[in-house]
Amino acid sequence: MSATAVAQRLKTEWETPKSLWGKFATVDHKEIGIRYIVTALVFMCIGGIEALIVRVQLARPDAALVSPEVYDQLFTMHGITMIFWYAQPILSGFAIYVIPMMIGARDMALPRLNAFTYWAFLLSGILVYIAPCMGQAPHAGWFAYVPYTLYQYSPSHGMDFYAMSLILFTISMTGGAVNFILTIMRQRAPGMSINRMPLFVYSTFTISWVSIFAMPALTAACVFLELDRRWGTHFYTIAHGGSAILWQQLFWFFGHPWVYIIFLPATGMLSMIIPIFSRRPIVGYPWVAVSTILTGAVGFSVWMHHMFTVGMSDMSMSFFSAGSMMISIFTTVQIFAWVATLWKGRLVMTTAMHYALGSIAVLIVGGLNGVVTGIIPLDWQAHNTYFVVSHIHYVLIGGNMFPVFAALFYWFPKMTGKMLNESLGKWSFWICFVGFNVAFFPMQILGFIGMPRRVYTYPAGLGWSSMNMLETAGAFVLGIGILLIFINVFISRRRGRIAGRNPWNADTLEWATDSPPEAYAFVHLPTVASRHPLWDDHDEEADPSDERTLDDGRLTLVSTWLDAEPYAVASMPKETLVPLLACLTLFGFFLALVFQLMWLVLGCFLVTLSFAFYWLWPRPEAEEGA
Amino acid sequence: MMAAAAPVQATRLPRQPGTRYPLDKSRGEWAMWLTIATEGSLFVCLFASYFYLANNKNRWAIDHPPKLHYALIMLAVLLSSSFVLHWGESQLKKQRYVAARVGLGITILMGLGFLALSAFEYMEHWKDLTPDSNSYGSIFYTIVSFHAAHVIMGLLMLSYTLTLPRYSPTSRSPYRPYHVAGLYWHFVDIVWVFVVAFLYVMPNVRVYGF
Ligand code: HEM
């Protein structure tokens, strides 16, 4: 059969109809991945605007732009928006987009679940933003410590929205994790044994396992919170034998692994990008891979370091302090691997590389002051001051936002077929970098001279005023830098230089597809003979008897999880509206729970259930592909 | 030949030209194992909260330690239902589909029996303890209700399997619904073992010391 005929058949088999129905029913991982990225960036803008209002309020002493109550709502919404609805979903978005192609598969293992988790992510974000629209936003910080969040102290619906939207978000996260694990363990191209897996795949794989085990703690904490608030139980009320510390235990058992969930895939991105622009393979690949996995594993044992000031036995304090120090060893291994790669490579200073290098610089500062909070006496001094605010932003922006921007510049050509403008990109980098440091470095000093976090204003004459003004200015500069990136995206999407298949001369399989890729990605599913399939002279397309086209249905190869020996062919589902519908009713379910409308809760539950039945029901023969 | 065309030896594809690898039918099973892993850690969190709240309290669950009779009967019902279901699945493998359905039906009835018993159990228990009595009541009822909710989910999966039109091997998903739903059911049963051990037996041991 001629090559074009095969391609044509694959196209009809895989392409989503370009209709309104198709938009809502699509299960294509490329479409869903981009949606994840765009949605997360929208949340980032919302969270950023909230942060800027916070900064304007703090720019001068005794300002009264917002009331104390609104201030609390603002920084809380900023924190949860950034932590939950931006930082992780954006990484999932890139992973959903590139990983199937990177490992040579045609879609995620469970495409309908993939659509479902996207809608659940979107709707959980909408759910939490209903609260500020009602003027009742959560207001207790992103980790919502009890007893302040109990009904007596927070009678508005804000904390109910917090709890319910996070449970919905947990569902989305867990579904996504299942999907990644299945995809990565079962669908790697023949020959991509685990010692040839790209490092981004390693990091996503690790955090997916971490999510499987860590997310339930958040669910449990939120369920208890809601029961205490509205149903009269006593998990957290001390007078009736409850324990306020229980919330902290559960929350940080989830929360610390969560920090790695939003950090590791970003380091995975750096481990992809830095070698490409150093024109050499990464130094110490096995070390990086192993330390990625160990970070995930040890991340479970350090949750108590958020609670040193709560009071606990000396023994357990030392244990958790040691754990926290140990984790920084693994991160250091990765940083050394990057530095060595840079050292031995020939650098190509693209914008993506600028962001990657910037993030290493920021991470080093952030990591160093992270060690400070791991040292218990210093933690006591710095706890709850602006020092902590500085630390989290150095880690989160160095460890998440800059790598994400690097990834955006790196993979944008693949997604759209157009290059982002490089000189505008470099401008945006320098503006972001300078703005970021001006905004967040003075916070360390402010912290040590005693400015607490989460205060809505401060009196003049404490020596804090000028630095606060500086920070606000820096924050706006950072905002302008980010705005430039968006402008770049909008312009280049139309008028950018044509990218071609592999503009960066990169080594992984997604660059073997067209830019933007066809719905089926590969005409011949690739095979792999090394860590760098596009750098060696192994001929990907050598499939003369069309054995790896699998063009008679929506099919992709399934292989063993260690050696990636193919052993089966998986048939993939088609477009369907059910994930969206099921998600909408689930959304109704949680919304009704916020207001305790129990009949509505029951109704939504039953409808969701019937959608689930329909989802799983065998399709009639006519719709069947294989 | 492939090997001739490819300079670097590609991974060999061990199959005859013209034939195809078999259809993959294990996706659902893998997903179910992961679901079980995450649900399992949900119960670990619940149990950990139970013990955390019990810690340092000398009046934990000792006024009225939960009575054992219902819980143990329920345990027996649930565990034997697992065996019935297992038998049903073995019939399925021998392609005795009617027997497989019967096994499934009996399992569902036993599950319903479990729920009925737990209703009685609740009624008896409620006289001494309610979720808003104290933290013990809160966590006790939460764990038991979470488990009951999982039993209901398991029953729904089994009922779904029961209503499927045919059980013969199929090339349409769901490929192995009987097996996958069964895995979940066994998981739910095992959780009850822990519930009985931690929530029912242990307080009685502490009070009566048998
Ligand atoms: C656009 C630039 C950003 C600015 C100007 C900014 C500014 C701020 C400020 C001033 C606070 C402290 C509020 C207070 O304690 O009174 C804060 C808190 C916080 N920020 Fe940001 N931020 C930015 C980006 C981010 C990003 C990208 C993330 C996460 C990925 C993030 C996560 C957080 C968290 C978790 C808190 C703590 C909220 C709480 O106290 O509960 N921020 N931010």
Side-chain angles (χ1 to χ4, degrees):
Chain A
M1 202 188 308
S2 81
T4 48
V6 173
Q8 195 52 47
R9 285 181 55 167
L10 282 168
K11 199 178 166 89
T12 41
E13 204 53 73
W14 284 88
E15 213 162 53
T16 308
K18 289 196 176 45
S19 60
L20 192 62
W21 177 83
K23 290 251 176 311
F24 289 107
T26 183
V27 293
D28 180 357
H29 74 99
K30 298 180 271 305
E31 181 63 34
I32 293 170
I34 292 179
R35 281 183 193 179
Y36 254 100
I37 296 172
V38 171
T39 313
L41 286 176
V42 169
F43 279 120
M44 185 193 83
C45 292
I46 299 174
I49 290 169
E50 285 153 358
L52 288 181
I53 301 177
V54 164
R55 278 316 321 167
V56 172
Q57 161 72 14
L58 290 181
R60 302 151 179 276
D62 298 315
L65 175 69
V66 294
S67 66
E69 173 60 27
V70 172
Y71 183 89
D72 290 356
Q73 300 188 357
L74 276 172
F75 77 71
T76 303
M77 289 308 289
H78 165 70
I80 59 181
T81 310
M82 289 297 195
I83 291 270
F84 295 112
W85 282 280
Y86 155 72
Q88 204 293 322
I90 191 128
L91 301 174
S92 284
F94 278 103
I96 289 169
Y97 187 90
V98 294
I99 282 186
M101 290 190 280
M102 205 176 239
I103 63 176
R106 284 192 174 134
D107 205 329
M108 297 282 284
L110 304 163
R112 290 178 296 183
L113 180 66
N114 201 20
F116 177 85
T117 56
Y118 170 72
W119 296 118
F121 152 56
L122 174 68
L123 289 173
S124 64
I126 292 178
L127 185 60
V128 77
Y129 267 94
I130 292 178
C133 295
M134 292 175 46
Q136 308 188 342
H139 59 168
W142 74 281
F143 38 73
Y145 277 1
V146 295
Y148 183 52
T149 43
L150 295 179
Y151 180 71
Q152 300 90 300
Y153 310 103
S154 303
S156 80
H157 283 293
M159 295 319 299
D160 303 311
F161 276 108
Y162 174 94
M164 291 301 117
S165 60
L166 277 185
I167 294 179
L168 183 53
F169 181 80
T170 313
I171 295 175
S172 159
M173 267 304 291
T174 310
V178 169
N179 215 343
F180 281 127
I181 294 176
L182 256 61
T183 308
I184 295 169
M185 286 182 82
R186 295 162 45 82
Q187 299 195 350
R188 298 199 312 276
M192 189 182 278
S193 48
I194 53 162
N195 56 336
R196 292 176 185 158
M197 232 158 70
L199 290 167
F200 182 51
V201 180
Y202 259 102
S203 57
T204 304
F205 186 61
T206 306
I207 63 112
S208 299
W209 279 106
V210 172
S211 312
I212 292 275
F213 294 112
M215 301 312 288
L218 178 63
T219 312
C222 286
V223 169
F224 293 169
L225 178 64
E226 188 62 18
L227 287 173
D228 264 15
R229 285 177 54 80
R230 302 286 173 185
W231 300 94
T233 57
H234 301 291
F235 291 100
Y236 302 129
T237 41
I238 296 140
H240 293 86
S243 158
I245 312 295
L246 177 64
W247 168 271
Q248 300 190 21
Q249 296 280 9
L250 287 171
F251 191 88
W252 289 118
F253 182 76
F254 142 82
H256 200 80
W258 182 258
V259 174
Y260 293 103
I261 291 174
I262 62 188
F263 170 65
L264 275 180
T267 64
M269 290 170 166
L270 293 181
S271 299
M272 305 300 294
I273 294 167
I274 289 172
I276 299 303
F277 297 117
S278 307
R279 313 296 326 139
R280 58 155 292 130
I282 191 160
V283 174
Y285 168 97
W287 298 104
V288 178
V290 168
S291 65
T292 304
I293 292 178
L294 287 179
T295 312
V298 181
F300 274 108
S301 64
V302 298
W303 81 95
M304 298 269 257
H305 80 200
H306 293 266
M307 299 166 53
F308 285 152
T309 50
V310 169
M312 58 181 100
S313 75
D314 287 351
M315 187 58 214
S316 49
M317 280 224 250
S318 319
F319 175 79
F320 287 107
S321 187
S324 313
M325 303 263 179
M326 183 151 90
I327 271 227
S328 47
I329 297 178
F330 302 135
T331 313
T332 317
V333 168
Q334 304 201 26
I335 294 190
F336 276 122
W338 299 330
V339 172
T341 311
L342 295 168
W343 194 268
K344 301 185 78 179
R346 278 187 296 114
L347 305 197
V348 185
M349 291 307 289
T350 55
T351 309
M353 189 63 160
H354 276 78
Y355 276 108
L357 294 181
S359 95
I360 297 180
V362 173
L363 261 183
I364 289 175
V365 178
L368 286 181
N369 58 32
V371 177
V372 171
T373 43
I375 301 169
I376 292 169
L378 283 178
D379 185 50
W380 284 340
Q381 172 66 26
H383 191 81
N384 265 337
T385 68
Y386 254 81
F387 184 85
V388 177
V389 179
S390 173
H391 167 64
I392 50 185
H393 288 87
Y394 266 86
V395 174
L396 290 172
I397 294 187
N400 179 293
M401 210 155 130
F402 279 8
V404 161
F405 291 156
L408 189 68
F409 276 85
Y410 180 64
W411 276 305
F412 185 85
K414 180 59 35 193
M415 296 177 183
T416 61
K418 303 283 175 62
M419 307 294 282
L420 281 171
N421 184 310
E422 281 287 308
S423 46
L424 193 55
K426 283 173 196 160
W427 272 100
S428 72
F429 167 75
W430 285 112
I431 294 173
C432 281
F433 189 74
V434 171
F436 164 73
N437 281 298
V438 173
F440 291 101
F441 196 81
M443 288 187 187
Q444 316 215 348
I445 305 164
L446 269 182
F448 270 105
I449 62 177
M451 177 159 168
R453 68 193 281 202
R454 296 177 173 173
V455 288
Y456 78 103
T457 191
Y458 50 93
L462 292 175
W464 298 349
S465 316
S466 52
M467 266 190 276
N468 267 306
M469 187 49 124
L470 190 65
E471 284 168 9
T472 303
F476 274 92
V477 174
L478 174 58
I480 291 170
I482 296 173
L483 197 65
L484 275 186
I485 298 179
F486 290 135
I487 292 175
N488 201 343
V489 166
F490 281 115
I491 295 179
S492 305
R493 212 162 63 96
R494 302 246 157 64
R495 304 220 211 110
R497 209 154 45 74
I498 302 290
R501 285 196 161 193
N502 191 356
W504 312 118
N505 196 2
D507 59 342
T508 39
L509 285 175
E510 78 272 25
W511 300 103
T513 64
D514 289 342
S515 308
E518 296 286 350
Y520 51 86
F522 305 94
V523 176
H524 300 265
L525 287 171
T527 62
V528 168
S530 80
R531 252 174 228 161
H532 314 284
L534 302 194
W535 281 354
D536 59 37
D537 52 0
H538 161 60
D539 186 355
E540 292 312 320
E541 300 295 315
D543 184 22
S545 45
D546 283 345
E547 296 192 338
R548 283 183 276 113
T549 53
L550 302 181
D551 58 351
D552 52 341
R554 277 200 185 182
L555 301 174
T556 193
L557 276 177
V558 179
S559 54
T560 56
W561 71 275
L562 275 175
D563 299 326
E565 292 263 10
Y567 65 90
V569 168
S571 156
M572 298 295 200
K574 308 236 146 145
E575 290 76 22
T576 154
L577 281 182
V578 182
L580 172 59
L581 295 176
C583 245
L584 282 171
T585 50
L586 205 57
F587 174 78
F589 174 82
F590 284 111
L591 187 60
L593 269 178
V594 168
F595 298 104
Q596 297 107 47
L597 305 170
M598 292 326 275
W599 287 110
L600 196 56
V601 168
L602 186 67
C604 287
F605 177 71
L606 293 178
V607 182
T608 312
L609 214 62
S610 30
F611 282 131
F613 265 63
Y614 177 75
W615 178 330
L616 294 169
W617 200 252
R619 293 286 166 272
E621 218 68 71
E623 279 184 44
E624 186 55 28
Chain B
M1 277 304 294
M2 258 190 69
V8 177
Q9 176 62 55
T11 305
R12 98 206 117 79
L13 293 173
R15 72 192 170 102
Q16 305 298 314
T19 64
R20 151 96 29 111
Y21 292 111
L23 185 67
D24 165 58
K25 296 190 177 179
S26 53
R27 186 163 56 192
E29 187 183 344
W30 281 62
M32 181 52 82
W33 276 112
L34 290 174
T35 311
I36 288 174
T38 188
E39 298 256 51
S41 57
L42 178 62
F43 277 101
V44 169
C45 289
L46 293 177
F47 289 134
S49 308
Y50 177 87
F51 287 112
Y52 188 82
L53 289 170
N55 195 15
N56 299 332
K57 290 200 184 77
N58 43 22
R59 300 205 59 75
W60 183 260
I62 53 171
D63 296 339
H64 307 280
K67 303 232 170 41
L68 283 173
H69 49 274
Y70 276 123
L72 290 179
I73 301 174
M74 285 153 79
L75 182 67
V77 171
L78 219 46
L79 285 185
S80 36
S81 82
S82 253
F83 284 104
V84 175
L85 190 65
H86 187 76
W87 172 82
E89 205 183 326
S90 69
Q91 297 303 303
L92 183 77
K93 286 198 188 110
K94 294 179 197 142
Q95 301 183 350
R96 299 195 193 122
Y97 299 127
V98 179
R101 266 185 214 274
V102 171
L104 195 54
I106 297 175
T107 312
I108 293 175
L109 288 179
M110 293 171 93
L112 290 173
F114 175 90
L115 287 180
L117 283 171
S118 55
F120 285 119
E121 214 259 300
Y122 262 67
M123 287 197 299
E124 184 185 271
H125 225 89
W126 203 269
K127 294 185 207 116
D128 305 326
L129 184 75
T130 54
D132 50 10
S133 322
N134 52 31
S135 63
Y136 170 67
S138 307
I139 187 78
F140 178 85
Y141 281 104
T142 303
I143 292 181
V144 177
S145 313
F146 259 65
H147 181 265
H150 280 71
V151 171
I152 293 174
M153 284 312 288
L155 282 176
L156 287 169
M157 290 185 200
L158 295 179
S159 323
Y160 157 81
T161 314
L162 189 66
T163 50
L164 282 174
R166 49 184 201 145
Y167 282 0
S168 45
T170 163
S171 64
R172 297 185 286 171
S173 98
Y175 304 115
R176 300 168 70 199
Y178 203 110
H179 180 66
V180 175
L183 280 179
Y184 192 79
W185 187 253
H186 297 315
F187 161 69
V188 171
D189 291 358
I190 290 170
V191 171
W192 185 250
V193 175
F194 288 102
V195 175
V196 170
F198 295 154
L199 266 59
Y200 289 85
V201 176
M202 272 172 66
N204 280 294
V205 172
R206 275 220 315 192
V207 174
Y208 303 111
F210 51 67

